[in-house]
Amino acid sequence: MATINVYTESTPNPSTMKFLVNKLLINGSLDYPDRERAQESDFARELFKFNFVEGVFFASNFVTVTKSEGVEWSDIEPLLKDFVKGAVESELAVKPIEHSEEVNFEGTDIEVKIQQVLHDYVRPAVEQDGGAIAYRSFDNGVVTVELRGSCSGCPSSTITLKAGIEGLLKRMVPEVEEVVAEAL
């Protein structure tokens, strides 16, 4: 078995930290914004046993952890790094059944084009910051997306949404007039 290395990266959201490993954890992404929803995932359920963990998000080779207010990263980061390393080494399951998360765009030609742009251009950038974006709808020029992981509740997510994502979609899909985030 190869040695598992874990390193951390801060995210634009000061309440979240990205724990990266040198192994693929999951194809796609999974968001567990609370303890109740984490019951299907052994890995997430164990993370929520730490009383300071308020959210867990998995994508490719990282897990993003959202901490409670009043807890300092300097106090919990080493503990979480050790936990993530042990969990990956023991192959603790991220999700119970490995079902393929194929890229399957649906809807009108405009909706498919919007989903393609989000997948090809926006998703990789958002994942770099420990988050994810999901397409929800397109109606009368308004694209609705869902922000997950570190992007959910991030102070700079509005700037990212309006200046970055909206600008890109308006340029690439002229029918787009506005992009809004769906409240979770």
Side-chain angles (χ1 to χ4, degrees):
M1 181 174 81
T3 301
I4 298 297
N5 296 313
V6 180
Y7 65 97
T8 57
E9 284 183 5
S10 58
T11 72
N13 184 344
S15 295
T16 66
M17 180 78 66
K18 190 171 163 183
F19 293 82
L20 295 106
V21 297
N22 57 331
K23 179 179 179 179
L24 182 67
L25 298 177
I26 183 174
N27 282 318
S29 65
L30 284 173
D31 191 18
Y32 299 106
D34 56 51
R35 185 172 270 102
E36 291 72 37
R37 294 187 211 174
Q39 295 312 303
E40 73 175 34
S41 167
D42 295 341
F43 200 139
R45 190 173 56 248
E46 291 300 313
L47 274 168
F48 272 106
K49 287 184 179 178
F50 293 106
N51 63 357
F52 51 78
V53 172
E54 292 198 345
V56 176
F57 173 78
F58 296 97
S60 58
N61 69 328
F62 66 86
V63 55
T64 300
V65 175
T66 303
K67 69 171 182 67
S68 306
E69 270 190 53
V71 178
E72 297 300 323
W73 281 116
S74 57
D75 296 334
I76 62 173
E77 183 181 340
L79 180 66
L80 288 172
K81 278 177 80 170
D82 286 345
F83 173 82
V84 169
K85 179 177 173 59
V88 173
E89 286 174 344
S90 66
E91 298 184 2
L92 196 57
V94 170
K95 60 182 179 179
I97 299 169
E98 188 67 35
H99 56 283
S100 173
E101 216 175 284
E102 290 180 21
V103 178
N104 187 17
F105 305 131
E106 296 178 349
T108 66
D109 288 347
I110 294 169
E111 289 173 306
V112 167
K113 190 169 183 181
I114 290 167
Q115 292 170 69
Q116 188 74 52
V117 170
L118 289 172
H119 182 269
D120 293 348
Y121 298 97
V122 178
R123 181 188 55 84
V126 170
E127 284 183 358
Q128 286 294 319
D129 285 339
I133 187 167
Y135 170 81
R136 289 290 164 243
S137 64
F138 176 70
D139 187 37
N140 292 325
V142 178
V143 175
T144 303
V145 296
E146 178 186 334
L147 299 173
R148 297 179 289 179
S150 71
C151 295
S152 177
C154 174
S156 62
S157 65
T158 302
I159 295 166
T160 300
L161 188 69
K162 293 298 180 183
I165 299 166
E166 185 175 279
L168 177 68
L169 279 172
K170 282 179 171 181
R171 282 192 308 278
M172 297 185 83
V173 186
E175 295 84 355
V176 172
E177 297 170 18
E178 184 181 15
V179 177
V180 297
E182 183 177 79
L184 294 179

